[in-house]
Amino acid sequence: MSDAETQSFSLDPRSADIELDPYREKPRLTFRQDGTFKITVFSDLHYGENPWDDWGPQQDVDSTQLMNTVLNDEKPDYVVLNGDLITGENTFRENSTTLIDEIVAPLNKLKIPFSSTHGNHDNEPNITHAEEIRRELRVAPLSYTRTAPSWADGEGYGPGTYWVPVYTKASDRRPSLILWFFDSRGGFSEGANSTALPDWVDAKVADWVKLTVAKMNYAWGPADKVRRGSLAFVHIPPHAVQALQPGLNSTQDPGLNADLLGSGSTQASGEPANAGKDEPFWDAVNAEIKNLHAVISGHDHGNEWCKREPTKNVIFCFDKHSGYGGYSSTGWGHGVRNVVFRSPDPSVGPETWIRMEDGETHARVVLDGSYN
């Protein structure tokens, strides 16, 4: 890194809040001996809907059964819960966080490490992102979810911004893959006088990205020199991906495309006055994080596709709606997105596909330089 970059982070007092060995008390995540690393992504589980009716708790039973089926079949090395874990406007305030116990129970039983992002329905009058994170860390020993420094936590409503290192071997000095997690906030504040919250990653996260990458580069070497890859997760899609939908090609960009992206579908799109407010985050992610294989989001339950965003030359993918809660439609079904790294070398793109609850797979693509 340049002398100017070194000076920038060494003089910024906020860099002291960025720890490069944040998981001393947890097992190091590593690639398998065959050089692979498999991630299974559950998105939009939406636990807790209408607990006063029979159908609400039954949805949660069905979602848990889906998790058990998929986890036992797929045997992932890591799991991501990519937002909207709970439908917070439908739950009871006094016991909302206990739904986290249900969600993580299959992961605890199988001792699978995992991380969470949080969505707009996780910030509601009866629940907050911070409350969900605290509960998760209390009941799940293999949760790698963390919270951002206070200056980058979206004024308290976007605390779930962090990164997780994956090493080729447990003895390695530096990781070969970084999993990035960003909190896109949204929803409503807690309590009786609830108000709408910003539905984009806070602009201060851009500084956090720059300082974090600079500190990584200083300690471990620049990602493009030492061959360190990255993959990013954020619940609400960046606004830039909205322009991709009209140009989708069902052969080149396979997967369900049933949710028309419009107001509220992407970050900072709900009100005209908010247009562009996710750009500091989006610009920083793409400028600072090298060897970024893809950015993966949920939120829009009827979409599963991937597409390269040409202005940043980055691949974006939707998850698969996993939970029986939340909106759906005939034929959409429920499932997960799998991502398999075939090598720690970032020049070898990971393979990704949609796996349905019944085991059917489709929309298989490789996230490398040759992809659309």
Side-chain angles (χ1 to χ4, degrees):
M1 63 188 301
S2 69
D3 291 342
E5 288 174 313
T6 303
Q7 186 178 37
S8 173
F9 89 79
S10 62
L11 294 179
D12 193 319
R14 297 175 298 178
S15 66
D17 297 326
I18 299 168
E19 169 63 63
L20 291 186
D21 188 13
Y23 297 106
R24 292 186 181 92
E25 306 303 317
K26 295 185 185 291
R28 271 197 168 185
L29 303 173
T30 62
F31 281 74
R32 298 181 187 182
Q33 289 189 341
D34 65 1
T36 63
F37 186 78
K38 184 177 188 178
I39 301 171
T40 294
V41 187
F42 295 88
S43 187
D44 295 276
L45 288 164
H46 284 280
Y47 274 65
E49 294 186 348
N50 282 47
W52 49 86
D53 290 320
D54 290 342
W55 63 264
Q58 185 59 50
Q59 285 184 163
D60 298 348
V61 170
D62 294 341
S63 295
T64 298
Q65 181 58 52
L66 177 145
M67 291 186 72
N68 285 323
T69 297
V70 169
L71 294 173
N72 280 292
D73 287 353
E74 297 295 332
K75 297 177 173 55
D77 300 299
Y78 202 73
V79 161
V80 173
L81 307 176
N82 204 11
D84 279 358
L85 282 67
I86 294 171
T87 303
E89 65 270 33
N90 279 166
T91 61
F92 295 122
R93 175 70 183 162
E94 58 268 22
N95 65 354
S96 289
T97 57
T98 60
L99 292 163
I100 294 296
D101 303 26
E102 292 183 54
I103 295 168
V104 304
L107 299 165
N108 285 345
K109 180 180 178 181
L110 294 171
K111 297 182 179 179
I112 300 173
F114 72 98
S115 287
S116 298
T117 70
H118 299 85
N120 47 304
H121 289 280
D122 296 306
N123 270 335
E124 290 288 351
N126 296 326
I127 197 72
T128 67
H129 291 190
E131 290 170 335
E132 290 191 21
I133 292 170
R134 286 195 294 268
R135 183 72 181 193
E136 181 182 308
L137 294 175
R138 177 181 168 187
V139 302
L142 289 178
S143 166
Y144 285 69
T145 303
R146 290 190 286 135
T147 55
S150 59
W151 51 267
D153 72 353
E155 299 179 353
Y157 290 103
T161 288
Y162 59 100
W163 55 273
V164 175
V166 184
Y167 298 81
T168 301
K169 303 187 302 294
S171 59
D172 287 349
R173 185 182 73 84
R174 60 192 180 209
S176 48
L177 174 66
I178 302 294
L179 305 177
W180 297 85
F181 301 90
F182 297 100
D183 195 320
S184 51
R185 303 183 293 175
F188 292 82
S189 60
E190 73 277 25
N193 299 314
S194 183
T195 57
L197 297 171
D199 60 347
W200 59 88
V201 178
D202 187 76
K204 295 186 183 69
V205 170
D207 286 345
W208 177 85
V209 170
K210 293 172 186 175
L211 288 170
T212 300
V213 170
K215 205 163 184 177
M216 289 176 173
N217 289 347
Y218 181 74
W220 301 328
D224 51 351
K225 303 294 185 187
V226 301
R227 309 181 78 78
R228 183 171 63 249
S230 285
L231 183 68
F233 298 88
V234 59
H235 178 70
I236 304 177
H239 183 64
V241 308
Q242 193 161 319
L244 302 180
Q245 193 170 41
L248 290 176
N249 178 308
S250 61
T251 301
Q252 180 178 275
D253 315 306
L256 184 67
N257 177 30
D259 238 346
L260 182 64
L261 301 181
S263 177
S265 299
T266 57
Q267 291 184 39
S269 64
E271 299 289 341
N274 294 331
K277 289 188 176 180
D278 70 325
E279 289 178 5
F281 149 74
W282 188 234
D283 289 346
V285 164
N286 287 285
E288 302 296 331
I289 300 176
K290 306 303 181 185
N291 297 327
L292 178 59
H293 292 287
V295 177
I296 300 177
S297 294
H299 190 59
D300 301 297
H301 300 183
N303 290 333
E304 304 168 353
W305 46 267
C306 296
K307 182 74 174 175
R308 186 177 295 277
E309 200 285 300
T311 67
K312 302 296 188 185
N313 193 29
V314 64
I315 300 171
F316 169 81
C317 290
F318 274 108
D319 293 320
K320 176 63 188 174
H321 180 205
S322 304
Y324 278 77
Y327 73 93
S328 188
S329 189
T330 302
W332 291 6
H334 304 89
V336 297
R337 176 172 290 282
N338 282 324
V339 182
V340 174
F341 286 86
R342 301 172 294 165
S343 167
D345 184 345
S347 68
V348 180
E351 187 175 19
T352 186
W353 66 93
I354 300 298
R355 180 241 151 92
M356 302 297 285
E357 183 175 14
D358 65 4
E360 183 269 334
T361 64
H362 59 269
R364 191 178 294 260
V365 297
V366 176
L367 305 174
D368 62 11
S370 67
Y371 181 65
N372 61 38

